[in-house]
Amino acid sequence: MKKDMIGDPLNRVDGRLKVTGGAKYSGEYKVPGLTYGVLVPATIASGTITGMDIKAASRAPGVLAVITPFNAPKVPGYQPGAAKPVKGLKLFNDNQVHFNGQPVALVVAETFERATYAATLIRTSYEKRPFETDFHKNFDKGVVPNEGKYKDYVRGEADAYKQAPVIVEQDYMLPSEMHNPMELHVTTAYWEGEDKVTLYTKSQGVIGSQRAIANAFGLDPANVQINSRFVGGAFGSSLRTWPHEVAAVQAAKLVKRPVKLTLTREQMFTLVGYRPLTIQKIGLGASADGKLVGITHESHSQTAVYEEFTENAVNVSRFLYASPNANTRYKVVPLNVGVPAPMRGPGEATGSFALESALDELSYKLGIDPIELRLRNYTYTDPERNLPWSSKFLKECYQLGSERIGWDKRAAQPGTQRDGEWMVGYGIGCGAFGAYRNKASAKIKLLPDGTVNIQSATSDIGPGTATSMTLIAADTLGIGADKITFELGNSSFPVAPTQGGSQTCSSVGSVVHDVCIALKQKLNTLAGLPLDSTAPIDYKVILQKLNLPVLELTQDSQSGEEAKKYSMYSFSAHFAQVYVHPLTGVIKVKKLVAVVDGGKIVNHKTASSQMIGGAVGGIGMVLTEEAVFDDTFGRYVNGNFADYHVPVNADVPDIEAIFIDKPDPIINPVGSKGLGEISLIGVAAAVANAVYNASGKRIRELPITPDKILI
Amino acid sequence: MISLTVNQHTHEVDASPEMPLLWVLRDLLGLTGTKFGCGVAQCGACTVHLNGEAVRSCVTRVDRAAGQQVVTIEGLSAGNDHPLQLAWAEFDVPQCGYCQSGQLMSAAELLRENPNPTDKDIDDAMSGNICRCGTYPRIRQAIHKAAELQRKGGNNG
């Protein structure tokens, strides 16, 4: 079989729709009889709702319902003894408030304006309780999570770094960061009868949403239809079904009409997760020639009192470098805040910032170039699991990146290189993210005109999934991409995993490959050819010949035992050239080079876009983003785009994405390992390390704002 | 009733004079290509042209548009072939796509006023339009390309 299309730059198949206003997002479907829901947030951070006066709101014009903890219809999955209990916050199920901004009521009215007005008429009385939102004050109340992979880890001897001749021991702080996709979270729900419901909702996984709503309302999943064709960004915030989505479904049942519930931008800061505030301690010990003797990585991060959130913040230190001794400790600190959620490169991005910053510090202490230090501690097998890598080309990433950024121009002595007024520096930061593959299914249809349609219940939150799947199908079938349509974002399609953890290309790409092979084999059989014949077949003609209107096949695909025999990761090395202004502290990223071993690259065009986008997220993480909390009232004070700074055009330089582009021979038939997370992991350290190289200022608390340079 | 011309079609809309133009476009006229991102002119997702000028439609009262010419992404070009739309598709600018209508409308105004913008001009003109997918480097590339197409005599909407 000739494999020459994978890797070609194919224009995004839905690009046209996205530049003409034609792409329809979840909040944009016209449903007859639509009503509007507006949430009323709690104004305290902890306590009991003792009473709610909803008389005026209920009588306000156009109001159809006011749902509160005192009158809410019971959600079956929220009740004790539920067959499949819903985890997390059970909205309106009791009168307890766990965090400021938690919804205490949902107003449903004929128009959005009327619902918004009525929401202002509700008077809520509380019995306040003391609350804890101050992470630093509560640092010592951190607990070890229950799940096994978050237990303390020791290889060799714990804290062995302390005995080494050269030591770095530092704390690194990351504030809470908000996903803030440009599209707000929005759900439209309507019931048909008592046991069938349809949702248009912002979702990274329509099957996950289907199961969550089915569990909440005790329904057969087949009676829950989820549509989420276009998703206006998510970055992890739509990995789960949130309580307000359940509330929209609950409200639609009560008013017996479709309900649309859209969060406000401010509510996006409290109700749909965030990257948690984290303090990490890294201990590195090395011999004088730069061999690591011990790595210790400890992390404390915030979680909610009502639900535990965990992520892989410390895990990277177990396997990224060879060290005979390594240990990690991970704790979460429960606070009266909304629960965090995985945010692009979850945990790994946080952990990599700390580890890669500390390694940079060690390089200066040792007087060894940071890349050379990484090479001296390179590991050809996974030291954590004691398994071979399925593939690893990180060394090649170092080499290509250092060439492209001009590493040879880097001054070994910080603060010594200038360009006019500006101080110039270079930095490197590396990362790794698990290469996952989950079971996926797809249906393929060969149509009378010889075109092919493939359906799978995956999502596209921006990477260009339909485009890469089209390329894989075109390549496998040996027909033009213009003869193929790929459909996603619909729960009635064959089951596919949620789009998260950089697994879509691997999981769904594999089944697209496999279902295309199955179709070819079926056609070969029908044509009387050997099963694996590569003789060209005219699809249109063969259907006519066989007198078949369509040919349809459904296929599952999943991994075997590979994950037990190999350690599978994507790797990245990010390089930054940074200018720092000595008088103003202004930091300009002048150039970023992202080099990635993500296995085979299916579509260079969309893959490069994804890499660039992740790097921009990394710039936000390291230089601009911080959700500022006021512990007096227990709420964010910068819940808007004026005060919470996401990077804009002027913050972002040209970014070069470079792919090693070697197929991983183990993970899946396509050979791809995933890009979505790795694109961001390592960027923060690369920039922070470049800031140090430029200015001699080692900033360990993100974001690195000009004031921190000047202090 | 308020009369306004959107993409060269005149509409009579039953809206209160202070209703944001964005809501009229999306909810009353069904032109959902223009997006809501913040509601307070901080993100640029709702950018449209009012008498040729880029405005944030989420904070523009509909009565300000009464009797005036409004152009939305749906009307940026007759055949969806504005040089910017062509360049946007070629350079794979959109990822999730949600902010791109606003980006394109801001870029269209830039190109009209400055047919040969530098990177700095682009950064200055476009930094009010947030893109969370991080398409900014692609936007710069595509605006340069569109400027080139425009100079070669392409359609300028």
Side-chain angles (χ1 to χ4, degrees), chain A residues 401-428:
Chain A
S402 60
E403 284 166 14
R404 296 302 304 171
I405 199 77
W407 192 257
D408 55 344
K409 294 199 249 345
R410 170 186 175 274
Q413 195 63 32
T416 57
Q417 197 181 135
R418 296 253 175 169
D419 180 356
E421 289 187 341
W422 296 82
M423 304 184 285
V424 181
Y426 295 81
I428 177 177

Side-chain angles (χ1 to χ4, degrees), chain A residues 225-244:
Chain A
Q225 171 63 37
I226 307 287
N227 306 297
S228 190
R229 162 90 197 278
F230 287 102
V231 181
F235 314 106
S237 68
S238 294
L239 285 169
R240 69 183 291 177
T241 296
W242 293 102
H244 72 266

Side-chain angles (χ1 to χ4, degrees), chain A residues 11-12 15-16 18-25 27-28 30 36 112-113 178-184 230-233 235 260 263 265 343-344 461-463 604-606 608-610 612-614 616-617 620 625 640-644 646-655, chain B residues 19-20 23 26-28 30 32-40 42-45 73-74 76 79-82 84-86 88-101 103-104 119 122-124 126-141:
Chain A
N11 280 352
R12 201 169 282 259
R16 209 82 194 111
K18 289 180 174 178
V19 297
T20 55
K24 218 167 170 187
Y25 298 81
E28 296 170 347
K30 277 263 174 212
Y36 298 81
F112 175 70
E113 291 86 339
M178 299 295 164
H179 302 75
N180 263 327
M182 294 312 296
E183 181 199 29
L184 300 156
F230 287 102
V231 181
F235 314 106
K260 175 153 106 175
L263 299 189
R265 182 54 66 183
M343 179 166 159
R344 198 168 190 174
I461 59 173
H604 275 263
K605 207 169 221 183
T606 49
S608 295
S609 292
Q610 199 177 8
I612 290 168
V616 173
E625 294 184 41
N640 60 74
F641 278 139
D643 299 314
Y644 181 92
V646 305
V648 297
N649 226 300
D651 297 318
V652 175
D654 284 340
I655 298 169
Chain B
M19 181 182 268
W23 300 14
R26 284 176 61 84
D27 294 345
L28 303 187
T32 54
T34 308
K35 305 301 180 189
F36 180 98
C38 68
V40 287
Q42 290 173 350
C43 78
I73 184 69
E74 290 92 345
L76 179 61
N80 290 331
D81 58 352
H82 189 285
L84 284 163
Q85 288 170 309
L86 300 177
W88 241 242
E90 186 186 332
F91 283 94
D92 194 46
V93 176
Q95 290 187 37
C96 85
Y98 195 80
C99 74
Q100 297 300 339
S101 301
Q103 303 279 1
L104 283 157
D119 277 356
I122 294 171
D123 287 352
D124 289 347
M126 299 299 294
S127 283
N129 286 79
I130 296 177
C131 170
R132 199 56 167 145
C133 297
T135 64
Y136 305 122
R138 295 289 209 212
I139 286 174
R140 273 198 296 268
Q141 275 181 309

